[in-house]
C-alpha cells in the first residue's frame, strides 16, 4: 500500500516535474520568441532612427545652402544700387562660410575678387547642372587654401538687363559647426562626398575616426573591402540617379549597415557606415536579461516570476530611455538647424539694422536741403542750415565708415578716437537731426543743460553722437504725436579736477516698456512688441550698441520705464578737461568784461554766470524786465555799463522784441543784445532786421555766444577772421595736385582758388612724377596726391619722387587725399613716403591746417 502511495507520489511528482518542465519549456520557447521579436523590432527601430538622423543632417545642409543662395541674391541686388560694385567686392570681408567673392561685369571674360587676384569662370565647372534655389552651383574643388569648396553664381540684373555675374565660393568646412557632435557615440562613420568627382570633401568632427587613404569613394570601399561587382554597380546606379541606398556589409570584421544619402538632388552624398553591434546594442542587452530570467526560472518558479517582472520593468525603462535619447538627439539636430538659419538670417538683419541708422541723419540732410532752397536769399538761415547739413553729413560719414569696417564691430575691436569737442557743437549737431523728426510728429522737444562747469571736453564725439541719436531717435519713435521729449545734460559732482562728470538724460512720456522687456532692452535684435508699438519700425540693435559704447567709455547706462507713462534713460560719463581751454583773450580783445543776464529762471542765469566766470567776464542777474532796466540805468550812471545783454525771448511782462527795443533805447548802439529762444519761434525775421540784436538758442554755451559776437563784428566791418584762420591761410602757396576724378578735381580747384593759392592739376601719378621732374626747385610748395589712379597710382608716384636725386624730392610735403579711409590705408600712405593722410570727403579746415603744418615743417 505504502509502495503504491509512494509510487503514486513519485508519479505525481514526476508528472508535476514534467508539467513544470513542460511549462518552463513552453515559457522558455515563448520567452525566446519574444526576445527575437524584440531584438528584430529594436533593430528595425534603430534602422529607422538612422534614416531619420540622416534626413535631419541632409535638411540641415540643404537649409544652409539655401540661405547662402538667398544671401547671394540679396547681395546681387545690393550691387545694382552701389556706385562702384567692383570696389565694394574688393573690400568685402570674408566670413566663416565664404572664402572668396568675385564679380564679372557684362561683356568681360575676367573679373575681380576680394582676394585681390583676377577671376575667370573658366576656372570652375558648372556642367553638372546642379542648382540651389535656382542658382547654378559648380562641381567641388580644392581652393587656393587647400580646402574643399564649391561656387554659386548669381546674375546681377539692373532694369531687366544683366550687368554682371556674382560668384561666391563657399567651403564645406562651414557645415561642420551645424552638424551634431558625435554619431552613435563615435562608433559610426560619416563623410560628405561630392557626387561628380566621388571625392570625400568633409569629415565632420566627432563622426568616427578617419582612416588613412580615404580620399574618394573607391579608396573608402577598397579600404573597407567592399569589392563585390554587383554591389558596386548598384551603388553606382543609385549615385547616378541621385537615390538613397542602404546595404549590409562587413567592415573591419564587424557586420555594419552602410549608407549613401542624397543631398540637394544628388549633388553631394552623406556616406559611411554604422556597426550592427552599435545599432543592436539595446537588443543584446534585452536578450541577456531574458536569458538571466530563464536561468533564474530554473531555480524557482516564483523567483522566476519575480525576476521576469523586474526584467519587464527594466525593459520599459530601457525603452523609455531610448525614446528620451532619441528626442534629445532630434532636438539637438533641430537646434543646429535653427542656429544655421539664424546665422544666415543675421546677414540680412545686419543690412536692415544699418538702414535705420543711415536714414536718421539722411532725413536731416534732405530736410534742411529743402529749407536751404526755400530760404536761399536769407544769409543767416543759409548759414544755419548749412551748418546743420554739415553736422548731419559728418555723422552719416561716420556711420558709413563703421559699416565698411564691419569686422571691427563684429570682433568688438572698436577703438575710441579721443579729440577735443564743445558741448555746443555736440548739442547743435544732435538737435539738427532729432528736431525735424520730432516736428513731423508735432512733439515738444526740450533741451536743457545745467550745472556744467566746462564746455570744452575731450572724448570720441562720433561715439557720443551715436549714443545720443540712438536714445533720442527711439524716444521720438516710441512717443505718440504731441508728446514730450526731454534731452538733459547735467553736471554732477567732479571726482577729479581733471574730469568733468556729466549725466545725460533722455526722457519721454511715450508708450513705455513692460518690466519683462526692461530685462532684455540692451540685448541685440530686441524690440518691445505690443499693439501700440508694432507700427514702429526698428532693428533692435541700437540699445545693444549704445550700452557697449557707454561701457567702452567707462560709463554706465540705466533705464526705468512704466507702460503708457514713459521712459527715462540715464547715462553717466566722465570727460577729460583739456588744458588751457579758457579763451579769455577773445573777451579781452573784444572789450567785453560785464554782461547782464535776464531770465525768469534763476538756475539758467546762474549757469551763465558760472560759465562766463571762467572767461574772466562778470555777469549780473536780473529776473524781470523792471529789475533789468534798473541794473542798466544804475550802471550807465556809474559810467560802467554792460557790454552785452542776454535775455529770454518770452519774458512774463512783455514779449522779447519789445523788451529789446526798450533796452536798446538806454544802451549804447555798439552793445549787442541777444535773445534766448527755443527753436522755431515766430518773429525771428524782425529780430534779424534790428541793429546789433541777435538770436541765441537755448541752452546757453560760451562758444555759441562767441560765434554770434564774431558774426556781428564781421557784419559791422570789424576783423572777422580768427587768428587760427589767418594762420591756416593758403594764400601765396603753389600746389601740384594729382586727381583723376573730374568732380573731385573741380572741388579741389575751387577750394584752392577760394583760398588764394596757385595750383596745377594732373590726371594720374605718372603725370605728376613727370611734372615734378620738369619743375624748378621750390616751384611747388606741396603735392596733393590721390591714391587710386590709372597708369600709376599715388603710392608708386610718391615712391618714385622720393627716390629722385633732387634735393627737394625728399623734403617736399606730399599729402594723400583719398577715399581709402581706414587705419591700414593711412599706414600704407606713410610707408610709401607721404607726410600725412587726409580722408575724403575733404574737410576744408582740416586740409588747410594740415597743409600749413607740412609747409612750415
Amino acid at each position: 500500500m505504502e509502495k503504491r502511495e509512494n509510487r503514486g507520489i513519485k508519479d505525481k511528482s514526476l508528472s508535476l516535474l514534467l508539467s513544470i518542465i513542460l511549462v518552463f519549456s513552453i515559457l522558455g520557447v515563448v520567452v525566446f520568441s519574444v526576445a527575437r521579436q524584440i531584438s528584430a523590432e529594436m533593430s528595425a527601430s534603430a534602422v529607422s532612427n538612422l534614416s531619420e538622423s540622416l534626413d535631419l543632417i541632409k535638411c540641415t545642409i540643404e537649409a544652409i545652402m539655401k540661405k547662402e543662395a538667398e544671401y547671394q541674391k540679396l547681395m546681387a541686388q545690393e550691387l545694382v544700387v552701389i556706385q562702384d560694385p567692383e570696389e565694394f567686392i574688393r573690400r568685402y570681408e570674408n566670413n566663416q562660410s565664404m572664402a572668396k567673392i568675385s564679380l564679372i561685369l557684362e561683356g568681360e571674360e575676367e573679373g575681380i575678387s576680394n582676394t585681390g587676384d583676377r577671376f575667370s569662370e573658366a576656372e570652375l565647372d558648372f556642367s553638372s547642372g546642379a542648382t540651389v534655389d535656382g542658382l547654378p552651383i559648380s562641381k567641388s574643388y580644392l581652393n587656393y587654401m587647400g580646402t574643399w569648396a564649391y561656387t554659386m553664381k548669381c546674375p546681377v540684373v539692373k532694369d531687366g538687363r544683366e550687368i554682371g555675374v556674382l560668384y561666391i565660393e563657399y567651403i564645406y568646412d562651414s557645415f561642420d559647426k551645424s552638424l551634431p557632435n558625435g554619431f552613435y557615440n563615435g562608433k559610426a562613420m560619416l563623410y560628405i562626398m561630392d557626387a561628380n568627382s566621388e571625392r570625400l570633401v568633409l569629415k565632420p568632427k566627432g563622426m568616427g575616426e578617419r582612416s588613412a587613404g580615404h580620399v574618394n569613394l573607391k579608396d573608402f570601399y577598397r579600404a573597407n573591402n567592399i569589392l563585390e561587382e554587383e554591389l558596386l554597380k548598384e551603388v553606382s546606379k543609385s549615385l547616378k540617379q541621385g537615390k538613397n541606398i542602404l546595404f549590409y556589409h562587413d567592415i573591419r570584421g564587424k557586420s555594419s549597415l552602410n549608407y549613401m544619402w542624397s543631398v540637394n538632388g544628388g549633388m553631394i552624398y552623406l556616406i559611411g557606415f554604422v556597426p550592427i553591434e552599435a545599432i543592436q546594442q539595446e537588443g543584446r542587452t534585452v536578450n541577456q536579461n531574458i536569458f538571466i530570467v530563464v536561468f533564474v526560472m530554473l531555480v524557482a518558479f516564483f523567483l522566476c516570476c519575480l525576476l521576469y517582472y523586474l526584467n519587464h520593468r527594466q525593459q520599459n525603462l530601457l525603452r523609455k530611455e531610448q525614446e528620451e535619447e532619441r528626442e534629445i538627439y532630434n532636438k539637438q539636430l533641430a537646434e543646429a538647424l535653427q542656429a544655421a538659419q539664424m546665422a544666415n538670417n543675421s546677414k540680412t538683419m545686419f543690412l536692415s539694422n544699418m538702414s535705420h541708422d543711415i536714414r536718421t541723419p539722411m532725413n536731416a540732410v534732405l530736410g534742411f536741403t529743402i529749407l536751404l532752397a526755400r530760404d536761399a536769399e536769407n544769409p543767416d538761415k543759409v548759414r544755419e542750415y548749412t551748418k546743420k547739413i554739415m553736422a548731419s553729413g559728418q555723422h552719416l560719414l561716420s556711420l558709413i565708415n563703421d559699416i565698411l569696417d564691419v569686422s571691427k564691430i563684429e570682433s568688438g575691436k572698436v577703438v575710441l578716437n579721443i579729440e577735443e569737442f564743445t558741448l555746443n557743437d555736440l548739442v547743435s549737431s544732435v538737435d539738427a537731426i532729432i528736431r525735424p523728426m520730432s516736428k513731423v510728429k508735432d512733439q515738444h522737444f526740450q533741451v536743457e543743460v545745467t550745472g556744467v562747469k566746462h564746455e570744452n571736453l575731450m572724448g570720441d564725439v562720433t561715439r557720443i553722437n551715436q549714443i545720443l541719436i540712438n536714445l533720442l531717435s527711439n524716444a521720438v519713435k516710441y512717443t505718440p504725436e504731441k508728446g514730450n521729449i526731454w534731452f538733459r545734460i547735467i553736471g554732477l559732482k567732479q571726482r577729479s579736477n581733471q574730469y568733468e562728470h556729466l549725466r545725460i538724460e533722455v526722457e519721454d512720456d511715450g508708450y513705455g516698456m513692460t518690466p519683462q522687456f526692461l530685462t532684455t532692452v540692451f540685448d541685440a535684435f530686441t524690440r518691445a512688441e505690443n499693439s501700440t508699438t508694432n507700427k514702429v519700425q526698428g532693428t533692435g540693435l541700437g540699445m545693444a550698441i549704445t550700452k557697449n559704447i557707454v561701457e567702452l567709455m567707462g560709463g554706465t547706462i540705466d533705464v526705468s520705464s512704466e507702460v503708457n507713462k514713459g521712459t527715462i534713460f540715464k547715462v553717466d560719463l566722465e570727460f577729460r578737461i583739456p588744458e588751457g581751454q579758457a579763451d579769455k583773450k577773445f573777451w579781452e580783445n573784444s572789450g567785453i568784461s560785464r554782461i547782464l543776464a535776464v531770465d525768469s529762471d534763476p538756475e539758467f542765469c546762474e549757469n551763465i554766470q558760472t560759465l562766463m566766470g571762467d572767461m574772466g567776464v562778470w555777469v549780473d542777474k536780473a529776473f524781470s524786465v523792471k529789475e533789468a532796466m534798473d541794473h542798466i540805468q544804475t550802471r550807465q550812471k556809474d559810467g560802467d555799463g554792460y557790454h552785452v545783454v542776454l535775455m529770454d525771448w518770452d519774458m512774463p511782462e512783455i514779449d522779447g522784441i519789445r523788451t529789446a527795443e526798450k533796452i536798446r533805447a538806454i544802451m549804447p548802439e555798439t552793445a549787442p543784445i541777444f535773445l534766448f529762444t527755443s527753436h522755431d519761434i515766430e518773429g525771428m525775421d524782425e529780430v534779424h532786421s534790428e541793429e546789433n540784436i541777435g538770436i541765441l538758442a537755448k541752452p546757453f554755451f560760451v562758444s555759441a555766444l562767441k560765434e554770434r559776437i564774431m558774426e556781428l563784428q564781421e557784419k559791422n566791418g570789424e576783423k572777422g577772421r580768427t587768428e587760427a584762420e589767418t594762420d591756416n591761410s593758403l594764400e601765396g602757396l603753389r600746389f601740384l595736385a594729382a586727381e583723376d576724378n573730374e568732380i573731385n578735381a573741380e572741388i579741389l580747384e575751387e577750394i584752392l582758388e577760394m583760398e588764394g593759392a596757385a595750383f596745377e592739376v594732373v590726371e594720374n601719378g605718372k603725370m605728376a612724377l613727370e611734372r615734378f621732374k620738369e619743375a624748378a626747385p621750390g616751384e611747388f610748395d606741396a603735392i596733393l596726391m590721390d591714391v587710386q589712379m590709372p597708369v600709376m597710382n599715388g603710392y608708386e608716384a610718391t615712391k618714385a619722387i622720393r627716390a629722385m636725386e633732387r634735393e627737394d624730392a625728399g623734403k617736399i610735403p606730399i599729402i594723400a587725399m583719398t577715399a581709402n579711409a581706414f587705419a591700414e590705408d593711412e599706414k600704407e600712405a606713410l610707408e610709401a613716403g607721404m607726410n600725412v593722410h587726409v580722408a575724403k570727403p575733404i574737410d576744408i579746415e582740416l586740409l588747410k591746417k594740415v597743409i600749413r603744418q607740412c609747409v612750415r615743417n
Side-chain angles (χ1 to χ4, degrees), residues 432-445:
I433 294 173
I434 299 301
R435 191 166 296 278
M437 297 169 58
S438 64
K439 281 185 63 179
V440 171
K441 300 180 71 173
D442 198 19
Q443 295 167 337
H444 185 44
F445 179 46

Side-chain angles (χ1 to χ4, degrees), residues 17-212:
L17 179 61
L18 292 175
S19 298
I20 293 175
I21 292 174
L22 179 61
V23 169
F24 272 88
S25 298
I26 295 173
L27 184 61
V29 171
V30 172
V31 169
F32 180 74
S33 301
V34 170
R36 290 194 62 182
Q37 183 179 358
I38 291 175
S39 179
E41 289 178 355
M42 296 187 71
S43 296
S45 176
V47 172
S48 176
N49 186 29
L50 172 62
S51 300
E52 292 176 1
S53 300
L54 291 173
D55 280 336
L56 281 174
I57 295 175
K58 166 190 172 181
C59 292
T60 299
I61 295 175
E62 289 179 346
I64 292 173
M65 297 178 74
K66 183 177 180 182
K67 289 300 178 181
E68 289 172 346
E70 291 175 354
Y71 179 72
Q72 188 165 347
K73 291 179 180 179
L74 179 62
M75 189 173 177
Q77 295 174 4
E78 290 294 323
L79 288 175
V80 172
V81 298
I82 293 176
Q83 186 175 4
D84 189 352
E86 291 189 336
E87 181 64 18
F88 177 81
I89 293 297
R90 289 191 187 96
R91 298 195 169 282
Y92 200 92
E93 300 272 352
N94 293 331
N95 57 29
Q96 294 180 350
S97 63
M98 296 189 297
K100 182 177 180 181
I101 303 175
S102 307
L103 177 66
I104 299 180
L105 296 178
E106 180 66 18
E108 296 182 5
E109 295 182 359
E110 290 187 345
I112 53 93
S113 301
N114 65 339
T115 58
D117 54 347
R118 300 295 296 174
F119 173 80
S120 171
E121 185 179 330
E123 303 170 3
L124 305 172
D125 186 358
F126 289 91
S127 62
S128 65
T131 62
V132 175
D133 198 21
L135 298 186
I137 184 169
S138 72
K139 295 181 179 179
S140 303
Y141 57 90
L142 280 171
N143 63 12
Y144 69 98
M145 297 185 296
T147 302
W148 280 100
Y150 59 90
T151 294
M152 283 192 282
K153 66 178 182 178
C154 176
V156 181
V157 180
K158 181 177 183 181
D159 298 331
R161 184 176 64 88
E162 182 174 318
I163 63 171
V165 180
L166 175 66
Y167 300 82
I168 298 184
E169 177 181 285
Y170 303 91
I171 57 176
Y172 282 100
D173 288 348
S174 63
F175 293 154
D176 199 359
K177 293 185 178 180
S178 301
L179 298 181
N181 187 14
F183 204 34
Y184 283 92
N185 297 322
K187 295 181 180 180
M189 180 71 73
L190 173 66
Y191 286 94
I192 296 179
M193 181 191 77
D194 176 59
N196 290 290
S197 61
E198 297 186 358
R199 300 277 293 189
L200 305 184
V201 296
L202 177 65
K203 192 291 187 168
K205 296 178 181 177
M207 301 296 187
E209 298 179 356
R210 184 189 293 275
S211 299

Side-chain angles (χ1 to χ4, degrees), residues 378 380 647 649 655-665 668-675 683-695 708 711-713 715-716:
N378 189 329
D380 293 318
M647 63 176 294
W649 173 284
D655 68 89
I657 188 64
R658 302 286 82 85
T659 304
E661 290 174 352
K662 291 180 65 176
I663 292 176
R664 167 60 67 220
E669 291 290 333
T670 57
I673 299 175
F674 293 101
L675 300 177
M684 285 191 179
D685 292 337
E686 187 178 357
V687 174
H688 290 305
S689 63
E690 296 291 334
E691 189 70 21
N692 266 7
I693 298 180
I695 297 294
R708 293 295 181 269
E711 289 174 4
L712 289 179
Q713 289 174 348
K715 190 174 181 180
N716 295 331

Side-chain angles (χ1 to χ4, degrees), residues 226-331:
I226 302 176
L227 304 175
E228 293 82 353
E229 290 186 8
E230 291 298 323
L231 180 57
L232 294 178
K233 287 181 181 179
E234 183 66 20
V235 168
S236 178
K237 181 180 178 181
S238 298
L239 185 62
K240 290 179 180 178
Q241 296 176 353
K243 295 181 178 179
N244 302 331
I245 184 171
L246 288 169
F247 61 92
Y248 289 95
H249 199 281
D250 290 345
I251 303 293
R252 303 174 193 168
K254 296 181 180 179
S255 179
S256 303
L257 180 60
N258 294 261
Y259 59 86
M260 290 185 63
W261 219 252
S262 171
V263 179
N264 195 36
M267 185 195 82
I268 57 177
Y269 269 79
L270 304 174
I271 72 166
F273 62 86
V274 183
I276 299 300
E277 62 181 16
I279 297 177
Q280 296 182 342
Q281 183 175 357
E282 293 86 354
R284 287 198 308 276
T285 302
V286 173
N287 288 335
Q288 290 172 0
N289 292 330
I290 292 176
F291 288 143
I292 292 173
V293 171
V294 173
F295 174 78
V296 173
M297 280 193 304
L298 297 174
V299 178
F301 178 74
F302 294 104
L303 183 59
C304 178
C305 292
L306 178 62
L307 290 178
Y308 178 76
Y309 166 76
L310 294 175
N311 184 68
H312 183 71
R313 188 176 67 174
Q314 186 175 3
Q315 288 181 40
N316 292 333
L317 291 175
L318 288 174
R319 188 176 292 106
K320 185 177 180 181
E321 289 176 358
Q322 182 185 7
E323 291 175 355
E324 290 176 353
E325 182 179 353
R326 182 184 303 169
E327 290 179 359
I328 293 173
Y329 187 65
N330 292 339
K331 183 179 179 181

Side-chain angles (χ1 to χ4, degrees), residues 459-519:
D460 190 332
V461 68
T462 301
R463 297 298 178 188
I464 301 170
N465 259 303
Q466 195 171 357
I467 293 172
L468 297 179
I469 291 173
N470 277 341
L471 295 176
L472 288 167
S473 63
N474 278 346
V476 172
K477 286 192 300 181
Y478 293 101
T479 300
E481 293 186 358
K482 298 185 179 181
N484 295 284
I485 298 170
W486 294 270
F487 169 34
R488 308 184 188 98
I489 299 180
I490 305 169
L492 303 179
K493 183 179 180 181
Q494 292 178 253
R495 299 184 180 129
S496 168
N497 292 332
Q498 297 179 338
Y499 289 86
E500 181 80 14
H501 190 190
L502 299 181
R503 170 168 292 169
I504 298 169
E505 293 185 355
V506 175
E507 184 178 2
D508 63 70
D509 56 2
Y511 306 132
M513 292 179 279
T514 63
Q516 294 81 4
F517 183 71
L518 279 175
T519 61

